[in-house]
Amino acid sequence: SSLQAVEGFARPSSSLLARAQTTQATSQRFASTLADPYGSISTSSPGDRIPIDESYPGLRRVHADPDVFVIEDFLDGASCDEIIEAAKEKGTERSPVAYAGWTTDIKDLLGLAATGPVTWAAIIAAWAEAQGDEDASVLGLVLHSIRNYAILFVAAAAAIAAFTKIRADGLQELRTSTSTTLDDMARSGPRNFV
C-alpha cells in the first residue's frame, strides 16, 4: 500500500501522489454545472493535461482521467516522520477550496440579468406606473424605466453576489480533508519534500 495511517495522518511511506488536473479544468466544470445545474447539456472538457515526464524513476500511473501517479521512494521514512510531526505541532484545518470561476460567474450572471429580466421588469414597472396618469409623457416613462432599472439591477447584483457566496460556501462544506502549511524549512523533512 502506498499510504499508511499514522495517528490520523496519511504517511506517504516514501511515495508521493501527484494528481495532474488543472485549476482551469475544475473551474470549467463548475461553470458548466452553474450554467446547467441538472446536467442535461454537458460540454465541459477536462482541459489541457499537465505535462509529466513519465520516464521519471519510480513513477507509475495508477489512474487515468484524471491522471494520478505514484512516485515510489520520493521521501525517506525519516523525512515523512518529520513532516507528520511538524503538522501535528502546527495543527490542521479543513482544506480550502478555491472557487476559481466566481468572477466569471458573477460577470455572466450580471450580463444575463441586465439584458433580460432586469430590463423587462423595469419597462413593465414604468408602464404600470404610467397607467391612469393623464399627465404621463414619453420622457416620464423613460425616466421611470431608468430609475426602475437601476433599483432592479442593484437588487439583482446583491442576489447574484449572495448566490455566489452560498455556492462557494457549499463547495467548502464538501471538502472533507484537512491540511496545514509547513513554514519551518529548518527541518530536513519539509526541506527534502520541497
PDB file of all heavy atoms in Angstrom, residues 11-50:
ATOM      1  N   ARG A  11       0.564   8.784   6.008  1.00  0.00           N
ATOM      2  CA  ARG A  11       2.021   8.741   5.856  1.00  0.00           C
ATOM      3  C   ARG A  11       2.337   8.281   4.450  1.00  0.00           C
ATOM      4  O   ARG A  11       1.938   7.198   4.039  1.00  0.00           O
ATOM      5  CB  ARG A  11       2.635   7.778   6.864  1.00  0.00           C
ATOM      6  CG  ARG A  11       4.139   7.772   6.804  1.00  0.00           C
ATOM      7  CD  ARG A  11       4.698   7.002   7.997  1.00  0.00           C
ATOM      8  NE  ARG A  11       6.132   7.162   8.027  1.00  0.00           N
ATOM      9  CZ  ARG A  11       6.975   6.207   7.682  1.00  0.00           C
ATOM     10  NH1 ARG A  11       6.541   5.037   7.308  1.00  0.00           N
ATOM     11  NH2 ARG A  11       8.272   6.434   7.736  1.00  0.00           N
ATOM     12  N   PRO A  12       3.034   9.114   3.685  1.00  0.00           N
ATOM     13  CA  PRO A  12       3.279   8.763   2.299  1.00  0.00           C
ATOM     14  C   PRO A  12       4.150   7.541   2.109  1.00  0.00           C
ATOM     15  O   PRO A  12       4.289   7.082   0.994  1.00  0.00           O
ATOM     16  CB  PRO A  12       3.954   9.998   1.713  1.00  0.00           C
ATOM     17  CG  PRO A  12       4.157  10.956   2.807  1.00  0.00           C
ATOM     18  CD  PRO A  12       3.535  10.411   4.041  1.00  0.00           C
ATOM     19  N   SER A  13       4.709   6.988   3.147  1.00  0.00           N
ATOM     20  CA  SER A  13       5.528   5.783   3.087  1.00  0.00           C
ATOM     21  C   SER A  13       6.475   5.814   1.897  1.00  0.00           C
ATOM     22  O   SER A  13       6.497   4.928   1.062  1.00  0.00           O
ATOM     23  CB  SER A  13       4.619   4.565   3.087  1.00  0.00           C
ATOM     24  OG  SER A  13       4.887   3.621   2.159  1.00  0.00           O
ATOM     25  N   SER A  14       7.213   6.914   1.825  1.00  0.00           N
ATOM     26  CA  SER A  14       8.231   7.103   0.791  1.00  0.00           C
ATOM     27  C   SER A  14       7.652   7.213  -0.611  1.00  0.00           C
ATOM     28  O   SER A  14       8.324   6.925  -1.579  1.00  0.00           O
ATOM     29  CB  SER A  14       9.266   5.985   0.838  1.00  0.00           C
ATOM     30  OG  SER A  14       9.800   5.892   2.125  1.00  0.00           O
ATOM     31  N   SER A  15       6.396   7.576  -0.728  1.00  0.00           N
ATOM     32  CA  SER A  15       5.765   7.749  -2.042  1.00  0.00           C
ATOM     33  C   SER A  15       5.054   9.091  -2.085  1.00  0.00           C
ATOM     34  O   SER A  15       4.696   9.639  -1.069  1.00  0.00           O
ATOM     35  CB  SER A  15       4.736   6.647  -2.297  1.00  0.00           C
ATOM     36  OG  SER A  15       5.377   5.405  -2.322  1.00  0.00           O
ATOM     37  N   LEU A  16       4.857   9.598  -3.252  1.00  0.00           N
ATOM     38  CA  LEU A  16       4.143  10.849  -3.434  1.00  0.00           C
ATOM     39  C   LEU A  16       3.064  10.640  -4.470  1.00  0.00           C
ATOM     40  O   LEU A  16       3.322  10.103  -5.540  1.00  0.00           O
ATOM     41  CB  LEU A  16       5.103  11.953  -3.911  1.00  0.00           C
ATOM     42  CG  LEU A  16       4.426  13.269  -4.291  1.00  0.00           C
ATOM     43  CD1 LEU A  16       3.930  13.968  -3.031  1.00  0.00           C
ATOM     44  CD2 LEU A  16       5.381  14.161  -5.041  1.00  0.00           C
ATOM     45  N   LEU A  17       1.851  11.052  -4.139  1.00  0.00           N
ATOM     46  CA  LEU A  17       0.770  11.017  -5.116  1.00  0.00           C
ATOM     47  C   LEU A  17       0.761  12.350  -5.845  1.00  0.00           C
ATOM     48  O   LEU A  17       0.789  13.402  -5.224  1.00  0.00           O
ATOM     49  CB  LEU A  17      -0.575  10.812  -4.424  1.00  0.00           C
ATOM     50  CG  LEU A  17      -0.794   9.441  -3.796  1.00  0.00           C
ATOM     51  CD1 LEU A  17      -2.120   9.424  -3.055  1.00  0.00           C
ATOM     52  CD2 LEU A  17      -0.782   8.378  -4.868  1.00  0.00           C
ATOM     53  N   ALA A  18       0.716  12.301  -7.147  1.00  0.00           N
ATOM     54  CA  ALA A  18       0.667  13.523  -7.949  1.00  0.00           C
ATOM     55  C   ALA A  18      -0.568  13.480  -8.820  1.00  0.00           C
ATOM     56  O   ALA A  18      -0.743  12.545  -9.579  1.00  0.00           O
ATOM     57  CB  ALA A  18       1.915  13.634  -8.815  1.00  0.00           C
ATOM     58  N   ARG A  19      -1.419  14.448  -8.683  1.00  0.00           N
ATOM     59  CA  ARG A  19      -2.636  14.487  -9.486  1.00  0.00           C
ATOM     60  C   ARG A  19      -2.491  15.568 -10.541  1.00  0.00           C
ATOM     61  O   ARG A  19      -2.261  16.716 -10.222  1.00  0.00           O
ATOM     62  CB  ARG A  19      -3.834  14.777  -8.598  1.00  0.00           C
ATOM     63  CG  ARG A  19      -5.127  14.790  -9.368  1.00  0.00           C
ATOM     64  CD  ARG A  19      -6.276  14.992  -8.450  1.00  0.00           C
ATOM     65  NE  ARG A  19      -7.474  15.099  -9.247  1.00  0.00           N
ATOM     66  CZ  ARG A  19      -8.679  15.041  -8.753  1.00  0.00           C
ATOM     67  NH1 ARG A  19      -8.841  14.893  -7.464  1.00  0.00           N
ATOM     68  NH2 ARG A  19      -9.718  15.166  -9.524  1.00  0.00           N
ATOM     69  N   ALA A  20      -2.652  15.189 -11.775  1.00  0.00           N
ATOM     70  CA  ALA A  20      -2.450  16.116 -12.884  1.00  0.00           C
ATOM     71  C   ALA A  20      -3.790  16.597 -13.406  1.00  0.00           C
ATOM     72  O   ALA A  20      -4.352  16.008 -14.310  1.00  0.00           O
ATOM     73  CB  ALA A  20      -1.656  15.435 -13.986  1.00  0.00           C
ATOM     74  N   GLN A  21      -4.317  17.606 -12.763  1.00  0.00           N
ATOM     75  CA  GLN A  21      -5.558  18.206 -13.232  1.00  0.00           C
ATOM     76  C   GLN A  21      -5.445  19.696 -13.011  1.00  0.00           C
ATOM     77  O   GLN A  21      -5.047  20.138 -11.943  1.00  0.00           O
ATOM     78  CB  GLN A  21      -6.747  17.642 -12.463  1.00  0.00           C
ATOM     79  CG  GLN A  21      -8.079  18.180 -12.941  1.00  0.00           C
ATOM     80  CD  GLN A  21      -9.220  17.579 -12.162  1.00  0.00           C
ATOM     81  OE1 GLN A  21      -9.066  17.216 -11.015  1.00  0.00           O
ATOM     82  NE2 GLN A  21     -10.363  17.498 -12.784  1.00  0.00           N
ATOM     83  N   THR A  22      -5.780  20.494 -13.986  1.00  0.00           N
ATOM     84  CA  THR A  22      -5.583  21.927 -13.885  1.00  0.00           C
ATOM     85  C   THR A  22      -6.730  22.613 -13.165  1.00  0.00           C
ATOM     86  O   THR A  22      -7.849  22.124 -13.153  1.00  0.00           O
ATOM     87  CB  THR A  22      -5.448  22.550 -15.287  1.00  0.00           C
ATOM     88  OG1 THR A  22      -6.683  22.380 -15.967  1.00  0.00           O
ATOM     89  CG2 THR A  22      -4.309  21.935 -16.072  1.00  0.00           C
ATOM     90  N   THR A  23      -6.421  23.756 -12.540  1.00  0.00           N
ATOM     91  CA  THR A  23      -7.450  24.571 -11.912  1.00  0.00           C
ATOM     92  C   THR A  23      -8.445  25.039 -12.963  1.00  0.00           C
ATOM     93  O   THR A  23      -9.635  25.135 -12.716  1.00  0.00           O
ATOM     94  CB  THR A  23      -6.797  25.770 -11.217  1.00  0.00           C
ATOM     95  OG1 THR A  23      -5.854  25.288 -10.271  1.00  0.00           O
ATOM     96  CG2 THR A  23      -7.828  26.626 -10.509  1.00  0.00           C
ATOM     97  N   GLN A  24      -7.963  25.299 -14.156  1.00  0.00           N
ATOM     98  CA  GLN A  24      -8.834  25.739 -15.234  1.00  0.00           C
ATOM     99  C   GLN A  24      -9.881  24.677 -15.529  1.00  0.00           C
ATOM    100  O   GLN A  24     -11.045  24.991 -15.736  1.00  0.00           O
ATOM    101  CB  GLN A  24      -8.007  26.029 -16.480  1.00  0.00           C
ATOM    102  CG  GLN A  24      -8.850  26.469 -17.670  1.00  0.00           C
ATOM    103  CD  GLN A  24      -8.011  26.658 -18.918  1.00  0.00           C
ATOM    104  OE1 GLN A  24      -6.838  26.301 -18.939  1.00  0.00           O
ATOM    105  NE2 GLN A  24      -8.600  27.217 -19.930  1.00  0.00           N
ATOM    106  N   ALA A  25      -9.494  23.426 -15.522  1.00  0.00           N
ATOM    107  CA  ALA A  25     -10.451  22.360 -15.798  1.00  0.00           C
ATOM    108  C   ALA A  25     -11.527  22.321 -14.722  1.00  0.00           C
ATOM    109  O   ALA A  25     -12.708  22.146 -15.014  1.00  0.00           O
ATOM    110  CB  ALA A  25      -9.733  21.012 -15.879  1.00  0.00           C
ATOM    111  N   THR A  26     -11.126  22.497 -13.465  1.00  0.00           N
ATOM    112  CA  THR A  26     -12.081  22.493 -12.370  1.00  0.00           C
ATOM    113  C   THR A  26     -13.055  23.646 -12.518  1.00  0.00           C
ATOM    114  O   THR A  26     -14.263  23.475 -12.370  1.00  0.00           O
ATOM    115  CB  THR A  26     -11.343  22.583 -11.020  1.00  0.00           C
ATOM    116  OG1 THR A  26     -10.413  21.506 -10.941  1.00  0.00           O
ATOM    117  CG2 THR A  26     -12.315  22.506  -9.862  1.00  0.00           C
ATOM    118  N   SER A  27     -12.554  24.832 -12.834  1.00  0.00           N
ATOM    119  CA  SER A  27     -13.444  25.980 -12.978  1.00  0.00           C
ATOM    120  C   SER A  27     -14.346  25.822 -14.193  1.00  0.00           C
ATOM    121  O   SER A  27     -15.498  26.233 -14.165  1.00  0.00           O
ATOM    122  CB  SER A  27     -12.654  27.285 -13.055  1.00  0.00           C
ATOM    123  OG  SER A  27     -11.840  27.320 -14.203  1.00  0.00           O
ATOM    124  N   GLN A  28     -13.854  25.194 -15.267  1.00  0.00           N
ATOM    125  CA  GLN A  28     -14.701  24.953 -16.433  1.00  0.00           C
ATOM    126  C   GLN A  28     -15.833  23.998 -16.073  1.00  0.00           C
ATOM    127  O   GLN A  28     -16.975  24.204 -16.475  1.00  0.00           O
ATOM    128  CB  GLN A  28     -13.879  24.368 -17.582  1.00  0.00           C
ATOM    129  CG  GLN A  28     -12.977  25.355 -18.262  1.00  0.00           C
ATOM    130  CD  GLN A  28     -12.054  24.668 -19.268  1.00  0.00           C
ATOM    131  OE1 GLN A  28     -11.900  23.454 -19.277  1.00  0.00           O
ATOM    132  NE2 GLN A  28     -11.404  25.470 -20.104  1.00  0.00           N
ATOM    133  N   ARG A  29     -15.521  22.962 -15.317  1.00  0.00           N
ATOM    134  CA  ARG A  29     -16.563  22.018 -14.920  1.00  0.00           C
ATOM    135  C   ARG A  29     -17.593  22.698 -14.034  1.00  0.00           C
ATOM    136  O   ARG A  29     -18.788  22.495 -14.171  1.00  0.00           O
ATOM    137  CB  ARG A  29     -15.955  20.821 -14.188  1.00  0.00           C
ATOM    138  CG  ARG A  29     -15.234  19.886 -15.108  1.00  0.00           C
ATOM    139  CD  ARG A  29     -14.678  18.707 -14.366  1.00  0.00           C
ATOM    140  NE  ARG A  29     -13.903  17.878 -15.268  1.00  0.00           N
ATOM    141  CZ  ARG A  29     -12.997  17.023 -14.877  1.00  0.00           C
ATOM    142  NH1 ARG A  29     -12.751  16.859 -13.605  1.00  0.00           N
ATOM    143  NH2 ARG A  29     -12.334  16.313 -15.751  1.00  0.00           N
ATOM    144  N   PHE A  30     -17.139  23.547 -13.095  1.00  0.00           N
ATOM    145  CA  PHE A  30     -18.072  24.233 -12.214  1.00  0.00           C
ATOM    146  C   PHE A  30     -18.937  25.201 -13.001  1.00  0.00           C
ATOM    147  O   PHE A  30     -20.140  25.291 -12.794  1.00  0.00           O
ATOM    148  CB  PHE A  30     -17.345  24.971 -11.096  1.00  0.00           C
ATOM    149  CG  PHE A  30     -18.291  25.752 -10.250  1.00  0.00           C
ATOM    150  CD1 PHE A  30     -19.112  25.114  -9.349  1.00  0.00           C
ATOM    151  CD2 PHE A  30     -18.403  27.116 -10.396  1.00  0.00           C
ATOM    152  CE1 PHE A  30     -20.012  25.815  -8.595  1.00  0.00           C
ATOM    153  CE2 PHE A  30     -19.299  27.826  -9.648  1.00  0.00           C
ATOM    154  CZ  PHE A  30     -20.106  27.178  -8.738  1.00  0.00           C
ATOM    155  N   ALA A  31     -18.349  25.937 -13.929  1.00  0.00           N
ATOM    156  CA  ALA A  31     -19.112  26.890 -14.732  1.00  0.00           C
ATOM    157  C   ALA A  31     -20.173  26.173 -15.554  1.00  0.00           C
ATOM    158  O   ALA A  31     -21.298  26.658 -15.683  1.00  0.00           O
ATOM    159  CB  ALA A  31     -18.177  27.692 -15.635  1.00  0.00           C
ATOM    160  N   SER A  32     -19.843  25.004 -16.097  1.00  0.00           N
ATOM    161  CA  SER A  32     -20.839  24.267 -16.871  1.00  0.00           C
ATOM    162  C   SER A  32     -21.942  23.754 -15.958  1.00  0.00           C
ATOM    163  O   SER A  32     -23.098  23.709 -16.343  1.00  0.00           O
ATOM    164  CB  SER A  32     -20.202  23.126 -17.654  1.00  0.00           C
ATOM    165  OG  SER A  32     -19.740  22.119 -16.783  1.00  0.00           O
ATOM    166  N   THR A  33     -21.606  23.405 -14.711  1.00  0.00           N
ATOM    167  CA  THR A  33     -22.610  22.973 -13.751  1.00  0.00           C
ATOM    168  C   THR A  33     -23.516  24.139 -13.386  1.00  0.00           C
ATOM    169  O   THR A  33     -24.721  23.992 -13.274  1.00  0.00           O
ATOM    170  CB  THR A  33     -21.935  22.413 -12.474  1.00  0.00           C
ATOM    171  OG1 THR A  33     -21.125  21.320 -12.852  1.00  0.00           O
ATOM    172  CG2 THR A  33     -22.971  21.965 -11.464  1.00  0.00           C
ATOM    173  N   LEU A  34     -22.926  25.325 -13.209  1.00  0.00           N
ATOM    174  CA  LEU A  34     -23.704  26.507 -12.870  1.00  0.00           C
ATOM    175  C   LEU A  34     -24.643  26.871 -14.012  1.00  0.00           C
ATOM    176  O   LEU A  34     -25.807  27.177 -13.802  1.00  0.00           O
ATOM    177  CB  LEU A  34     -22.768  27.678 -12.571  1.00  0.00           C
ATOM    178  CG  LEU A  34     -23.427  28.982 -12.171  1.00  0.00           C
ATOM    179  CD1 LEU A  34     -24.167  28.784 -10.855  1.00  0.00           C
ATOM    180  CD2 LEU A  34     -22.395  30.070 -12.045  1.00  0.00           C
ATOM    181  N   ALA A  35     -24.147  26.812 -15.241  1.00  0.00           N
ATOM    182  CA  ALA A  35     -24.967  27.151 -16.393  1.00  0.00           C
ATOM    183  C   ALA A  35     -26.060  26.116 -16.622  1.00  0.00           C
ATOM    184  O   ALA A  35     -27.136  26.446 -17.114  1.00  0.00           O
ATOM    185  CB  ALA A  35     -24.092  27.271 -17.635  1.00  0.00           C
ATOM    186  N   ASP A  36     -25.809  24.868 -16.262  1.00  0.00           N
ATOM    187  CA  ASP A  36     -26.774  23.791 -16.470  1.00  0.00           C
ATOM    188  C   ASP A  36     -26.761  22.900 -15.231  1.00  0.00           C
ATOM    189  O   ASP A  36     -26.160  21.841 -15.227  1.00  0.00           O
ATOM    190  CB  ASP A  36     -26.382  22.997 -17.723  1.00  0.00           C
ATOM    191  CG  ASP A  36     -27.400  21.906 -18.047  1.00  0.00           C
ATOM    192  OD1 ASP A  36     -28.551  21.999 -17.568  1.00  0.00           O
ATOM    193  OD2 ASP A  36     -27.039  20.969 -18.772  1.00  0.00           O
ATOM    194  N   PRO A  37     -27.433  23.342 -14.145  1.00  0.00           N
ATOM    195  CA  PRO A  37     -27.324  22.618 -12.879  1.00  0.00           C
ATOM    196  C   PRO A  37     -27.857  21.196 -12.908  1.00  0.00           C
ATOM    197  O   PRO A  37     -27.520  20.389 -12.061  1.00  0.00           O
ATOM    198  CB  PRO A  37     -28.127  23.479 -11.902  1.00  0.00           C
ATOM    199  CG  PRO A  37     -29.019  24.316 -12.744  1.00  0.00           C
ATOM    200  CD  PRO A  37     -28.321  24.488 -14.060  1.00  0.00           C
ATOM    201  N   TYR A  38     -28.695  20.842 -13.890  1.00  0.00           N
ATOM    202  CA  TYR A  38     -29.239  19.497 -13.935  1.00  0.00           C
ATOM    203  C   TYR A  38     -28.438  18.571 -14.830  1.00  0.00           C
ATOM    204  O   TYR A  38     -28.747  17.402 -14.970  1.00  0.00           O
ATOM    205  CB  TYR A  38     -30.701  19.542 -14.373  1.00  0.00           C
ATOM    206  CG  TYR A  38     -31.521  20.369 -13.428  1.00  0.00           C
ATOM    207  CD1 TYR A  38     -31.963  21.630 -13.780  1.00  0.00           C
ATOM    208  CD2 TYR A  38     -31.794  19.907 -12.145  1.00  0.00           C
ATOM    209  CE1 TYR A  38     -32.690  22.404 -12.900  1.00  0.00           C
ATOM    210  CE2 TYR A  38     -32.512  20.673 -11.251  1.00  0.00           C
ATOM    211  CZ  TYR A  38     -32.958  21.917 -11.635  1.00  0.00           C
ATOM    212  OH  TYR A  38     -33.654  22.681 -10.747  1.00  0.00           O
ATOM    213  N   GLY A  39     -27.413  19.094 -15.472  1.00  0.00           N
ATOM    214  CA  GLY A  39     -26.509  18.260 -16.247  1.00  0.00           C
ATOM    215  C   GLY A  39     -27.068  17.760 -17.560  1.00  0.00           C
ATOM    216  O   GLY A  39     -26.543  16.819 -18.129  1.00  0.00           O
ATOM    217  N   SER A  40     -28.130  18.380 -18.055  1.00  0.00           N
ATOM    218  CA  SER A  40     -28.710  17.879 -19.297  1.00  0.00           C
ATOM    219  C   SER A  40     -27.851  18.219 -20.510  1.00  0.00           C
ATOM    220  O   SER A  40     -27.901  17.542 -21.511  1.00  0.00           O
ATOM    221  CB  SER A  40     -30.127  18.431 -19.483  1.00  0.00           C
ATOM    222  OG  SER A  40     -30.095  19.837 -19.498  1.00  0.00           O
ATOM    223  N   ILE A  41     -27.059  19.280 -20.418  1.00  0.00           N
ATOM    224  CA  ILE A  41     -26.154  19.647 -21.506  1.00  0.00           C
ATOM    225  C   ILE A  41     -24.770  19.750 -20.907  1.00  0.00           C
ATOM    226  O   ILE A  41     -24.487  20.650 -20.148  1.00  0.00           O
ATOM    227  CB  ILE A  41     -26.545  20.991 -22.138  1.00  0.00           C
ATOM    228  CG1 ILE A  41     -27.963  20.950 -22.654  1.00  0.00           C
ATOM    229  CG2 ILE A  41     -25.577  21.368 -23.241  1.00  0.00           C
ATOM    230  CD1 ILE A  41     -28.479  22.288 -23.116  1.00  0.00           C
ATOM    231  N   SER A  42     -23.920  18.818 -21.198  1.00  0.00           N
ATOM    232  CA  SER A  42     -22.573  18.831 -20.645  1.00  0.00           C
ATOM    233  C   SER A  42     -21.568  18.900 -21.779  1.00  0.00           C
ATOM    234  O   SER A  42     -21.393  17.945 -22.512  1.00  0.00           O
ATOM    235  CB  SER A  42     -22.333  17.580 -19.797  1.00  0.00           C
ATOM    236  OG  SER A  42     -21.029  17.622 -19.272  1.00  0.00           O
ATOM    237  N   THR A  43     -20.923  20.080 -21.895  1.00  0.00           N
ATOM    238  CA  THR A  43     -19.940  20.256 -22.953  1.00  0.00           C
ATOM    239  C   THR A  43     -18.564  20.535 -22.374  1.00  0.00           C
ATOM    240  O   THR A  43     -17.665  20.919 -23.091  1.00  0.00           O
ATOM    241  CB  THR A  43     -20.340  21.423 -23.874  1.00  0.00           C
ATOM    242  OG1 THR A  43     -20.452  22.609 -23.067  1.00  0.00           O
ATOM    243  CG2 THR A  43     -21.652  21.142 -24.567  1.00  0.00           C
ATOM    244  N   SER A  44     -18.409  20.346 -21.057  1.00  0.00           N
ATOM    245  CA  SER A  44     -17.122  20.660 -20.448  1.00  0.00           C
ATOM    246  C   SER A  44     -16.091  19.604 -20.808  1.00  0.00           C
ATOM    247  O   SER A  44     -16.414  18.448 -21.045  1.00  0.00           O
ATOM    248  CB  SER A  44     -17.255  20.747 -18.927  1.00  0.00           C
ATOM    249  OG  SER A  44     -17.559  19.480 -18.407  1.00  0.00           O
ATOM    250  N   SER A  45     -14.859  20.050 -20.851  1.00  0.00           N
ATOM    251  CA  SER A  45     -13.758  19.131 -21.098  1.00  0.00           C
ATOM    252  C   SER A  45     -12.780  19.265 -19.945  1.00  0.00           C
ATOM    253  O   SER A  45     -12.755  20.281 -19.267  1.00  0.00           O
ATOM    254  CB  SER A  45     -13.077  19.459 -22.426  1.00  0.00           C
ATOM    255  OG  SER A  45     -12.495  20.740 -22.348  1.00  0.00           O
ATOM    256  N   PRO A  46     -11.966  18.255 -19.692  1.00  0.00           N
ATOM    257  CA  PRO A  46     -11.076  18.325 -18.544  1.00  0.00           C
ATOM    258  C   PRO A  46      -9.948  19.334 -18.701  1.00  0.00           C
ATOM    259  O   PRO A  46      -9.221  19.588 -17.771  1.00  0.00           O
ATOM    260  CB  PRO A  46     -10.525  16.903 -18.428  1.00  0.00           C
ATOM    261  CG  PRO A  46     -10.690  16.311 -19.776  1.00  0.00           C
ATOM    262  CD  PRO A  46     -11.871  16.987 -20.385  1.00  0.00           C
ATOM    263  N   GLY A  47      -9.784  19.936 -19.838  1.00  0.00           N
ATOM    264  CA  GLY A  47      -8.718  20.924 -20.019  1.00  0.00           C
ATOM    265  C   GLY A  47      -7.432  20.271 -20.484  1.00  0.00           C
ATOM    266  O   GLY A  47      -7.355  19.075 -20.725  1.00  0.00           O
ATOM    267  N   ASP A  48      -6.423  21.095 -20.619  1.00  0.00           N
ATOM    268  CA  ASP A  48      -5.132  20.605 -21.076  1.00  0.00           C
ATOM    269  C   ASP A  48      -4.463  19.773 -19.988  1.00  0.00           C
ATOM    270  O   ASP A  48      -4.548  20.074 -18.810  1.00  0.00           O
ATOM    271  CB  ASP A  48      -4.219  21.778 -21.439  1.00  0.00           C
ATOM    272  CG  ASP A  48      -4.736  22.557 -22.637  1.00  0.00           C
ATOM    273  OD1 ASP A  48      -5.453  21.950 -23.447  1.00  0.00           O
ATOM    274  OD2 ASP A  48      -4.426  23.753 -22.743  1.00  0.00           O
ATOM    275  N   ARG A  49      -3.802  18.727 -20.398  1.00  0.00           N
ATOM    276  CA  ARG A  49      -3.079  17.839 -19.487  1.00  0.00           C
ATOM    277  C   ARG A  49      -1.775  18.503 -19.087  1.00  0.00           C
ATOM    278  O   ARG A  49      -1.080  19.080 -19.918  1.00  0.00           O
ATOM    279  CB  ARG A  49      -2.800  16.517 -20.201  1.00  0.00           C
ATOM    280  CG  ARG A  49      -2.126  15.487 -19.364  1.00  0.00           C
ATOM    281  CD  ARG A  49      -1.993  14.191 -20.187  1.00  0.00           C
ATOM    282  NE  ARG A  49      -1.417  13.141 -19.412  1.00  0.00           N
ATOM    283  CZ  ARG A  49      -0.109  12.898 -19.336  1.00  0.00           C
ATOM    284  NH1 ARG A  49       0.734  13.651 -19.993  1.00  0.00           N
ATOM    285  NH2 ARG A  49       0.335  11.900 -18.611  1.00  0.00           N
ATOM    286  N   ILE A  50      -1.456  18.440 -17.811  1.00  0.00           N
ATOM    287  CA  ILE A  50      -0.183  18.958 -17.341  1.00  0.00           C
ATOM    288  C   ILE A  50       0.905  18.008 -17.810  1.00  0.00           C
ATOM    289  O   ILE A  50       0.813  16.798 -17.585  1.00  0.00           O
ATOM    290  CB  ILE A  50      -0.159  19.062 -15.801  1.00  0.00           C
ATOM    291  CG1 ILE A  50      -1.200  20.063 -15.334  1.00  0.00           C
ATOM    292  CG2 ILE A  50       1.222  19.452 -15.301  1.00  0.00           C
ATOM    293  CD1 ILE A  50      -1.361  20.115 -13.831  1.00  0.00           C
TER     294      ILE A  50
END
